[in-house]
Short mmCIF file of all heavy atoms in Angstrom, two decimals:
data_model
loop_
_atom_site.label_atom_id
_atom_site.label_comp_id
_atom_site.label_asym_id
_atom_site.label_seq_id
_atom_site.Cartn_x
_atom_site.Cartn_y
_atom_site.Cartn_z
N GLU A 170 32.57 44.74 -22.08
CA GLU A 170 31.13 44.55 -22.23
C GLU A 170 30.79 44.80 -23.81
O GLU A 170 30.57 45.91 -24.19
CB GLU A 170 30.37 45.71 -21.46
CG GLU A 170 30.51 45.69 -19.97
CD GLU A 170 29.33 46.22 -19.25
OE1 GLU A 170 29.02 47.41 -19.57
OE2 GLU A 170 28.73 45.41 -18.46
N PRO A 171 30.78 43.65 -24.48
CA PRO A 171 30.40 43.69 -25.90
C PRO A 171 29.06 44.39 -26.04
O PRO A 171 28.11 43.81 -25.36
CB PRO A 171 30.46 42.33 -26.37
CG PRO A 171 30.49 41.44 -25.17
CD PRO A 171 31.05 42.27 -24.02
N ILE A 172 28.93 45.36 -26.86
CA ILE A 172 27.56 46.00 -26.91
C ILE A 172 26.49 45.15 -27.41
O ILE A 172 25.34 45.22 -26.91
CB ILE A 172 27.66 47.38 -27.84
CG1 ILE A 172 28.67 48.31 -27.16
CG2 ILE A 172 26.38 48.01 -27.98
CD1 ILE A 172 29.03 49.48 -28.18
N TRP A 173 26.80 44.21 -28.26
CA TRP A 173 25.99 43.27 -28.79
C TRP A 173 25.27 42.32 -27.86
O TRP A 173 24.40 41.61 -28.02
CB TRP A 173 26.39 42.54 -30.00
CG TRP A 173 27.79 42.01 -29.88
CD1 TRP A 173 29.06 42.67 -30.08
CD2 TRP A 173 28.18 40.75 -29.33
NE1 TRP A 173 30.07 41.92 -29.72
CE2 TRP A 173 29.61 40.62 -29.25
CE3 TRP A 173 27.47 39.60 -28.90
CZ2 TRP A 173 30.24 39.56 -28.85
CZ3 TRP A 173 28.11 38.45 -28.55
CH2 TRP A 173 29.62 38.35 -28.44
N ALA A 174 25.93 42.37 -26.65
CA ALA A 174 25.51 41.34 -25.64
C ALA A 174 24.84 42.01 -24.48
O ALA A 174 24.29 41.35 -23.63
CB ALA A 174 26.73 40.61 -25.00
N ILE A 175 24.84 43.41 -24.45
CA ILE A 175 24.21 44.16 -23.32
C ILE A 175 22.74 44.20 -23.41
O ILE A 175 22.18 44.80 -24.48
CB ILE A 175 24.83 45.57 -23.24
CG1 ILE A 175 26.29 45.44 -22.84
CG2 ILE A 175 24.04 46.29 -22.16
CD1 ILE A 175 26.91 46.87 -22.65
N GLY A 176 22.01 43.57 -22.55
CA GLY A 176 20.51 43.65 -22.52
C GLY A 176 19.88 42.99 -23.69
O GLY A 176 18.69 43.07 -23.84
N THR A 177 20.58 42.15 -24.39
CA THR A 177 20.07 41.49 -25.64
C THR A 177 19.74 40.00 -25.43
O THR A 177 19.11 39.42 -26.21
CB THR A 177 21.06 41.59 -26.76
OG1 THR A 177 22.27 40.88 -26.32
CG2 THR A 177 21.46 42.97 -27.17
N GLY A 178 20.21 39.45 -24.28
CA GLY A 178 20.02 38.04 -24.11
C GLY A 178 21.12 37.28 -24.85
O GLY A 178 21.38 36.06 -24.60
N LEU A 179 21.89 37.96 -25.71
CA LEU A 179 23.11 37.29 -26.33
C LEU A 179 24.17 37.39 -25.41
O LEU A 179 24.45 38.46 -24.95
CB LEU A 179 23.49 37.92 -27.68
CG LEU A 179 22.52 37.89 -28.81
CD1 LEU A 179 23.06 38.77 -29.92
CD2 LEU A 179 22.51 36.39 -29.29
N THR A 180 24.95 36.40 -25.16
CA THR A 180 26.17 36.42 -24.29
C THR A 180 27.45 36.07 -25.13
O THR A 180 27.23 35.18 -25.97
CB THR A 180 25.97 35.43 -23.16
OG1 THR A 180 24.67 35.54 -22.61
CG2 THR A 180 27.06 35.77 -22.12
N ALA A 181 28.44 36.73 -24.84
CA ALA A 181 29.70 36.26 -25.42
C ALA A 181 29.92 34.79 -25.00
O ALA A 181 29.63 34.47 -23.86
CB ALA A 181 30.86 37.13 -25.06
N SER A 182 30.48 33.95 -25.91
CA SER A 182 30.83 32.58 -25.37
C SER A 182 31.97 32.65 -24.46
O SER A 182 32.66 33.63 -24.35
CB SER A 182 31.12 31.70 -26.62
OG SER A 182 32.36 32.15 -27.15
N ASP A 183 32.10 31.61 -23.66
CA ASP A 183 33.26 31.57 -22.81
C ASP A 183 34.57 31.82 -23.50
O ASP A 183 35.45 32.59 -23.05
CB ASP A 183 33.36 30.25 -21.96
CG ASP A 183 32.05 29.89 -21.28
OD1 ASP A 183 31.23 30.90 -21.06
OD2 ASP A 183 31.94 28.78 -20.81
N ASP A 184 34.67 31.23 -24.71
CA ASP A 184 35.93 31.38 -25.46
C ASP A 184 36.05 32.91 -25.98
O ASP A 184 37.28 33.43 -25.96
CB ASP A 184 36.00 30.46 -26.66
CG ASP A 184 36.19 29.05 -26.32
OD1 ASP A 184 36.58 28.76 -25.14
OD2 ASP A 184 36.05 28.18 -27.17
N GLN A 185 35.01 33.48 -26.40
CA GLN A 185 35.07 34.87 -26.84
C GLN A 185 35.50 35.86 -25.76
O GLN A 185 36.30 36.72 -25.84
CB GLN A 185 33.79 35.29 -27.41
CG GLN A 185 33.45 34.81 -28.80
CD GLN A 185 31.95 35.10 -29.15
OE1 GLN A 185 31.08 35.10 -28.50
NE2 GLN A 185 31.89 35.52 -30.52
N ALA A 186 34.86 35.58 -24.65
CA ALA A 186 35.18 36.34 -23.37
C ALA A 186 36.60 36.15 -22.96
O ALA A 186 37.37 37.20 -22.81
CB ALA A 186 34.32 36.05 -22.16
N GLN A 187 37.09 34.97 -22.89
CA GLN A 187 38.48 34.52 -22.46
C GLN A 187 39.43 35.35 -23.46
O GLN A 187 40.51 35.86 -23.11
CB GLN A 187 38.68 33.15 -22.44
CG GLN A 187 40.16 32.70 -22.25
CD GLN A 187 40.90 33.36 -21.03
OE1 GLN A 187 40.29 33.78 -20.02
NE2 GLN A 187 42.25 33.47 -21.17
N GLU A 188 39.23 35.19 -24.74
CA GLU A 188 40.11 35.70 -25.78
C GLU A 188 40.24 37.13 -25.60
O GLU A 188 41.32 37.76 -25.58
CB GLU A 188 39.47 35.34 -27.14
CG GLU A 188 40.53 35.49 -28.25
CD GLU A 188 39.77 35.21 -29.58
OE1 GLU A 188 38.89 34.38 -29.66
OE2 GLU A 188 40.11 35.81 -30.66
N MET A 189 39.13 37.84 -25.38
CA MET A 189 39.25 39.30 -25.27
C MET A 189 39.87 39.79 -23.94
O MET A 189 40.64 40.70 -23.87
CB MET A 189 37.81 40.02 -25.31
CG MET A 189 37.89 41.53 -25.31
SD MET A 189 38.95 42.28 -26.61
CE MET A 189 37.88 42.33 -28.05
N HIS A 190 39.54 38.99 -22.95
CA HIS A 190 40.09 39.38 -21.57
C HIS A 190 41.71 39.15 -21.64
O HIS A 190 42.40 39.96 -21.03
CB HIS A 190 39.59 38.52 -20.41
CG HIS A 190 38.16 38.98 -20.06
ND1 HIS A 190 37.65 39.25 -18.75
CD2 HIS A 190 37.05 39.41 -20.78
CE1 HIS A 190 36.53 39.74 -18.64
NE2 HIS A 190 35.99 39.86 -19.91
N ALA A 191 42.06 38.18 -22.33
CA ALA A 191 43.57 37.88 -22.46
C ALA A 191 44.13 39.00 -23.14
O ALA A 191 45.28 39.39 -22.86
CB ALA A 191 43.77 36.55 -23.04
N HIS A 192 43.52 39.42 -24.23
CA HIS A 192 44.02 40.54 -25.02
C HIS A 192 44.08 41.78 -24.13
O HIS A 192 45.14 42.47 -24.23
CB HIS A 192 42.98 40.73 -26.21
CG HIS A 192 43.25 41.94 -26.99
ND1 HIS A 192 44.57 42.19 -27.67
CD2 HIS A 192 42.47 43.11 -27.18
CE1 HIS A 192 44.42 43.40 -28.21
NE2 HIS A 192 43.36 44.03 -28.05
N ILE A 193 43.09 42.08 -23.39
CA ILE A 193 43.15 43.33 -22.47
C ILE A 193 44.29 43.20 -21.53
O ILE A 193 45.01 44.14 -21.23
CB ILE A 193 41.76 43.55 -21.80
CG1 ILE A 193 40.73 43.87 -22.78
CG2 ILE A 193 41.80 44.52 -20.79
CD1 ILE A 193 39.25 43.79 -22.36
N ARG A 194 44.35 41.91 -20.95
CA ARG A 194 45.52 41.78 -19.89
C ARG A 194 46.93 42.02 -20.62
O ARG A 194 47.82 42.50 -20.05
CB ARG A 194 45.36 40.51 -19.28
CG ARG A 194 46.11 40.42 -17.96
CD ARG A 194 45.91 39.09 -17.20
NE ARG A 194 44.58 38.82 -16.82
CZ ARG A 194 43.75 39.33 -15.98
NH1 ARG A 194 44.16 40.36 -15.26
NH2 ARG A 194 42.53 39.01 -15.83
N SER A 195 46.98 41.58 -21.88
CA SER A 195 48.32 41.75 -22.60
C SER A 195 48.58 43.19 -22.86
O SER A 195 49.64 43.56 -22.81
CB SER A 195 48.34 40.89 -23.86
OG SER A 195 47.53 41.55 -24.90
#
Side-chain angles (χ1 to χ4, degrees):
E170 299 207 303
I172 298 169
W173 47 272
I175 295 181
T177 59
L179 289 176
T180 314
S182 68
D183 299 350
D184 288 348
Q185 283 172 322
Q187 169 54 27
E188 197 182 324
M189 182 57 82
H190 283 228
H192 171 59
I193 293 170
R194 203 176 301 287
S195 76

